[in-house]
Amino acid sequence: MSSNEFDIIIIGSGSGGGVAAHMLANQGKKVGLIDKGPFGGECSHYGCMPTKSLLESAKVYEIAKHAPAYGVRANSLTFNYPSIKARVEKVIRQSGFDDSVATFVHEGITTIRGRAHFIDEHTVSVADRRYKANTFIVATGSTSKITEIPGLQHTGYITHREAIALEKLPKSIFIIGAGAIGAEYAEIFSTFGSRVHLCDASTRILSNEDHTASQLVHDMFENKGIRVHTSSEIIKVEGSKGRKTITYRENNTEHSVTVEEIMLTVGRKPNVDLGLSNAGVTYSPHAGIRVNKRLQTTSKHIYAIGDVTSKGMYTHVANYQARIAVYNILHKKKVAAEYHAIPRVTYLHTEVAAVGYSEEQLKSEGIAYQVGSASISVIARSITSGQNEGFVKVFASHTGVVLGASIVAPRAGEIIHELTLATQVGLKADKIANMVHAFPTWSEAVRVACAKIHCI
């Protein structure tokens, strides 16, 4: 096998491709890993890791602002954004993502920097060189969608990539798109003192979440001073650097607001521009690469994982799919990926988490269900922590089998996992209600909610 020939070539080194590369190399396969850079992927450098680091700094600052309520006194309170940014960079370094090429090379993986393009079903080109493999994994991820708004390109805007690189925070910002990314940045900017507008065309923010969760976050944002605009259409954008005017229509009335910066967070699109047709791979610019349950494309020796499959654009989905794809590459008997119990989290100061069916989905599909809910204000941890906004809502079948859940609470991203397991294995709610939960913990709200489900 020549230096340009591999058992497996993986295109994309992020949460899916990077995991697959490590696993296959550990099984003795000759692996080529192609990425236009930086190695480590979107989540490592621009998404999860840096954003959650910023959110953690914002949380600490927010808690400090309310310290007197806990009997803690401080003479003065301020923050230094360059120091916060330095911590973000330190987090990436500590995680090993800034030196991921060395990690790959150490395991015998050949790293190739550049943009891959399929020549045929077994050959890709990178710049002026060609590489061959028996099997491929496409893990090229996704990029930010850019909305067509009159004047936007001329006026300028940022996405989450540029937001991470900001040397100082804008005094005011208009965020277009109120999904998880938009909501998280609204929290970051607002906590550090920016005047924030959060706008979405949907009737509510976090429109993929339970309607009760959306409304509660809406109210909490408004109480923090974030101006929330729903059912809104952006008409035009005017201005230049430092002074940008957005004209929008809300409730059939035209409004305008002038801010220092505009941020786009209207969703993501799969990266499919790599000559897939030359390899016989079926794809859509919007829906991504078509895969079966075994994560094979229409060319069976070419697998696809992560955001490019549009099966749930989360880091943990890419990681999960990597493990499924690697198993199927190594074994004749294939396994199928299942997506009915994929948790999701929006990392606000009071987190939002969900898994499985939402109440809206159960209604639209005509599935008989029951709801058990509990306010976090009824549990002792809420009293000791001084935080009482939030709830746990559990959805179950008429027999009591857990079908899904929605949580708004501190540490909701941790709490969701016992309900994720219940959703995955078809556990009845009374099993959770009768399980001993440590006192005092936020998870006691799960026990209380599950106790309200009738099981037969």
Side-chain angles (χ1 to χ4, degrees), residues 8-34 39 100 103-105 107-111 137 139 305 322-323 325-326 329:
I8 297 154
I9 287 177
I10 301 170
I11 306 172
S13 66
S15 305
V19 169
H22 289 304
M23 293 178 70
L24 288 163
N26 288 336
Q27 292 298 313
K29 298 297 182 182
K30 184 180 180 184
V31 179
L33 184 61
I34 304 173
F39 277 77
S100 55
T103 303
F104 291 128
V105 171
E107 295 188 7
I109 299 165
T110 300
T111 58
I137 298 177
I305 60 176
R323 288 181 274 124
V326 167
I329 288 169

Side-chain angles (χ1 to χ4, degrees), residues 123-394:
T123 312
V124 293
S125 66
V126 180
D128 57 350
R129 299 194 68 180
R130 295 191 176 193
Y131 302 89
K132 291 183 174 290
N134 298 321
T135 305
F136 288 83
I137 298 177
V138 179
T140 46
S142 63
T143 53
S144 297
K145 288 181 181 177
I146 305 302
T147 306
E148 295 293 333
I149 298 172
L152 182 64
Q153 293 295 336
H154 173 75
T155 304
Y157 60 91
I158 62 172
T159 68
H160 70 287
R161 280 197 167 206
E162 292 77 27
I164 286 295
L166 289 173
E167 296 296 332
K168 64 176 184 177
L169 296 176
K171 293 180 180 178
S172 55
I173 189 165
F174 195 99
I175 301 174
I176 303 173
I181 297 174
E184 288 176 358
Y185 271 98
E187 180 115 304
I188 291 167
F189 287 123
S190 175
T191 300
F192 289 129
S194 300
R195 178 169 55 89
V196 178
H197 292 260
L198 181 62
C199 176
D200 203 282
S202 299
T203 56
R204 54 192 176 90
I205 64 173
L206 298 176
S207 59
N208 290 332
E209 301 302 332
D210 180 86
H211 63 92
T212 311
S214 293
Q215 187 59 55
L216 181 53
V217 174
H218 183 131
D219 294 343
M220 288 191 292
F221 275 7
E222 291 276 6
N223 288 337
K224 287 190 66 171
I226 298 171
R227 295 291 304 276
V228 178
H229 311 283
T230 53
S231 301
S232 296
E233 175 192 2
I234 308 298
I235 299 171
K236 63 180 179 179
V237 175
E238 301 172 290
S240 58
K241 184 177 180 180
R243 186 173 176 82
K244 305 176 182 184
T245 300
I246 301 95
T247 302
Y248 62 98
R249 184 178 291 109
E250 183 178 9
N251 297 325
N252 297 317
T253 304
E254 193 170 298
H255 307 267
S256 66
V257 61
T258 300
V259 294
E260 187 175 319
E261 189 57 86
I262 297 171
M263 184 174 183
L264 277 187
T265 60
V266 293
R268 301 186 64 76
K269 61 180 181 179
N271 294 326
V272 292
D273 184 18
L274 61 157
L276 292 166
S277 298
N278 297 333
V281 174
T282 300
Y283 71 96
S284 160
H286 304 291
I289 297 175
R290 193 170 82 191
V291 292
N292 60 23
K293 287 189 175 182
R294 297 175 296 279
L295 299 174
Q296 293 167 302
T297 69
T298 46
S299 289
K300 300 302 182 187
H301 68 289
I302 301 176
Y303 291 73
I305 60 176
D307 285 10
V308 77
T309 67
S310 295
K311 294 294 185 182
M313 291 187 176
Y314 307 110
T315 297
H316 46 284
V317 171
N319 186 291
Y320 167 67
Q321 289 180 320
R323 288 181 274 124
I324 295 290
V326 167
Y327 182 92
N328 288 338
I329 288 169
L330 297 175
H331 298 84
K332 287 185 178 180
K333 187 176 181 180
K334 312 299 184 186
V335 296
E338 299 290 346
Y339 303 101
H340 71 285
I342 301 294
R344 61 181 181 273
V345 185
T346 303
Y347 295 89
L348 307 176
H349 183 57
T350 302
E351 294 177 352
V352 181
V355 69
Y357 279 99
S358 67
E359 190 164 9
E360 289 86 346
Q361 288 173 320
L362 290 165
K363 287 179 179 178
S364 66
E365 295 184 27
I367 299 173
Y369 71 96
Q370 52 182 315
V371 182
S373 62
S375 169
I376 66 167
S377 63
V378 304
I379 62 171
R381 184 61 187 272
S382 172
I383 299 169
T384 62
S385 299
Q387 295 172 274
N388 58 15
E389 290 184 304
F391 63 84
V392 172
K393 187 186 287 189
V394 179

Side-chain angles (χ1 to χ4, degrees), residues 47-57 87 184 188 345 347:
C48 308
M49 297 302 292
T51 303
K52 276 49 179 180
S53 177
L54 278 178
L55 282 161
E56 195 65 26
S57 292
R87 181 180 179 274
E184 288 176 358
I188 291 167
V345 185
Y347 295 89

Side-chain angles (χ1 to χ4, degrees), residues 76-91:
S76 63
L77 178 65
T78 185
F79 67 89
N80 181 275
Y81 195 72
S83 297
I84 291 171
K85 192 167 180 293
R87 181 180 179 274
V88 171
E89 294 165 357
K90 181 181 178 181
V91 165

Side-chain angles (χ1 to χ4, degrees), residues 400 402 427-435 450-451 453 455-456:
V402 176
L427 203 64
K428 287 190 175 181
D430 60 354
K431 297 295 184 183
I432 298 175
N434 294 328
M435 184 182 82
C450 285
I453 300 289
C455 297
I456 57 175

